[in-house]
Amino acid sequence: MYNGKKIVVVMPAYNAERTLEITYNEIPHHWVDDIVLVDDNSSDNTLQMAEQLGIKHILKHNKNLGYGGNQKTCYRKALELNADIIIMVHPDYQYTPKLIPAMVSIIESGLYPVVFGSRILSNGALKGGMPLVKYVLNRILTFIQNLLMGQKLSEYHTGYRAYSREVLEQINLTKGSDNFVFDNEMIALIFSKGHEIAEVTCPTRYFTDASSIGFKEGIIYSFGVLNVSIRYFLHQNGLMKWKLLKEPSSS
Ligand SMILES: Nc1nc2c(ncn2[C@@H]2O[C@H](COP(=O)(O)OP(=O)(O)O)[C@@H](O)[C@H]2O)c(=O)[nH]1
Ligand SMILES: [Mg+2]
């Protein structure tokens, strides 16, 4: 609990056996009420590791749904647990859980309902091991997306995100993609509801055991995020109706 707010960490996990423990140990547990881990039908021992660590809420998909599908289960469970503030932490140890208190307090203060951990705000992305091609693509896509979406985020591609309960309840998560582009659709949904997104500087960490989107998935993702921004632009300017943004709220 933080000032009476229930804090829930959600971990969308896929083959995270080797990095789950180090990630879990870095969580400031006195800040966090519940941890939810959803195993996306991993082929390694992610599930056993989660049980061994004593994670209370472990859910398992019987087939691999993908990163977006995994998050849908994560948020549904967090809302069921009456979370007030929900933080997604990837279990591959690429984003430090040490920022949880900073992100939580920005939301709790009522200043912003959504907070992203940004690797681009500082100068450390390349030093932290982000491959040059990913860095350049991140910058180019972010530039185009800011223009199309009329925003000023430093990156649209971080996987470190915290949400207020109200935001998750307001947006229709079920309509989103089951794949990586889900994260970008979330951004479109959040902005379309008129919310602002805060950013905190987050160290970049790429290392051997970390999981990263592959080349083919990266290409699909890049076109996917451009598609999201173009549709958002057209929708917001009344030139086209985008079903994702048009749907009445439900969660
Ligand atoms: N690749 C992949 N990751 C998944 C899936 N379901 C959940 N995840 C988790 O989603 C996180 C993000 O994926 P990752 O491959 O690390 O992408 P990155 O954002 O490029 O680092 C990881 O921590 C995975 O454990 C899935 O079906 N595929
Ligand atoms: Mg990763």
Side-chain angles (χ1 to χ4, degrees):
M1 287 279 175
Y2 177 63
N3 283 349
K5 299 273 196 270
K6 182 167 185 180
I7 315 299
V8 175
V9 164
V10 299
M11 299 176 120
Y14 183 61
N15 293 343
E17 173 195 354
R18 286 200 296 269
T19 50
L20 179 57
E21 186 173 12
I22 188 169
T23 311
Y24 177 85
N25 287 337
E26 217 173 82
I27 294 174
H29 290 278
H30 54 290
W31 276 75
V32 174
D33 296 284
D34 273 323
I35 299 175
V36 173
L37 181 136
V38 178
D39 178 48
D40 206 15
N41 201 24
S42 297
S43 53
D44 69 357
N45 290 320
T46 297
L47 206 62
Q48 289 83 338
M49 179 56 80
E51 282 162 2
Q52 209 176 303
L53 289 169
I55 295 178
K56 206 159 121 204
H57 304 282
I58 303 172
L59 287 87
K60 182 181 164 31
H61 289 162
N62 289 325
K63 69 177 197 331
N64 181 251
L65 293 186
Y67 175 59
N70 194 325
Q71 279 187 69
K72 290 175 192 173
T73 309
C74 284
Y75 298 136
R76 199 178 316 122
K77 182 67 186 174
L79 293 175
E80 243 176 66
L81 291 169
N82 289 319
D84 293 304
I85 297 172
I86 300 96
I87 311 109
M88 168 167 71
V89 176
H90 286 182
D92 68 349
Y93 198 53
Q94 280 198 279
Y95 301 96
T96 174
K98 288 180 182 168
L99 278 175
I100 289 172
M103 296 166 91
V104 162
S105 56
I106 290 175
I107 295 180
E108 193 281 329
S109 66
L111 284 175
Y112 295 92
V114 181
V115 181
F116 284 4
S118 166
R119 303 159 297 179
I120 302 295
L121 277 177
S122 74
N123 241 341
L126 291 172
K127 269 185 254 157
M130 186 183 285
L132 184 63
V133 58
K134 285 203 176 185
Y135 178 78
V136 171
L137 260 177
N138 185 321
R139 303 298 288 141
I140 294 172
L141 290 172
T142 295
F143 177 76
I144 299 170
Q145 292 190 273
N146 271 329
L147 286 180
L148 287 168
M149 298 182 79
Q151 299 292 339
K152 211 178 163 191
L153 288 180
S154 66
E155 69 160 320
Y156 285 69
H157 313 290
T158 173
Y160 199 7
R161 300 167 173 217
Y163 304 97
S164 73
R165 175 183 190 87
E166 291 69 30
V167 163
L168 290 187
E169 276 177 337
Q170 214 183 33
I171 62 186
N172 194 344
L173 296 169
T174 51
K175 291 284 166 197
S177 155
D178 278 340
N179 219 313
F180 283 100
V181 83
F182 176 87
D183 269 355
N184 244 264
E185 292 174 340
M186 285 282 270
I187 297 177
L189 283 159
I190 290 160
F191 283 142
S192 76
K193 300 282 177 200
H195 298 300
E196 283 190 85
I197 299 175
E199 295 180 284
V200 295
T201 312
C202 170
T204 303
R205 197 152 58 196
Y206 275 79
F207 58 103
T208 321
D209 279 341
S211 159
S212 260
I213 191 166
F215 179 75
K216 194 173 151 220
E217 281 170 319
I219 299 288
I220 296 170
Y221 172 78
S222 300
F223 282 108
V225 303
L226 288 175
N227 188 34
V228 165
S229 303
I230 292 167
R231 280 169 184 253
Y232 179 90
F233 175 84
L234 296 173
H235 182 93
Q236 295 299 101
N237 289 287
L239 300 166
M240 183 201 93
K241 288 274 171 254
W242 185 14
K243 233 167 91 188
L244 184 81
L245 303 184
K246 212 176 61 176
E247 294 290 327
S249 311
S250 80
S251 57

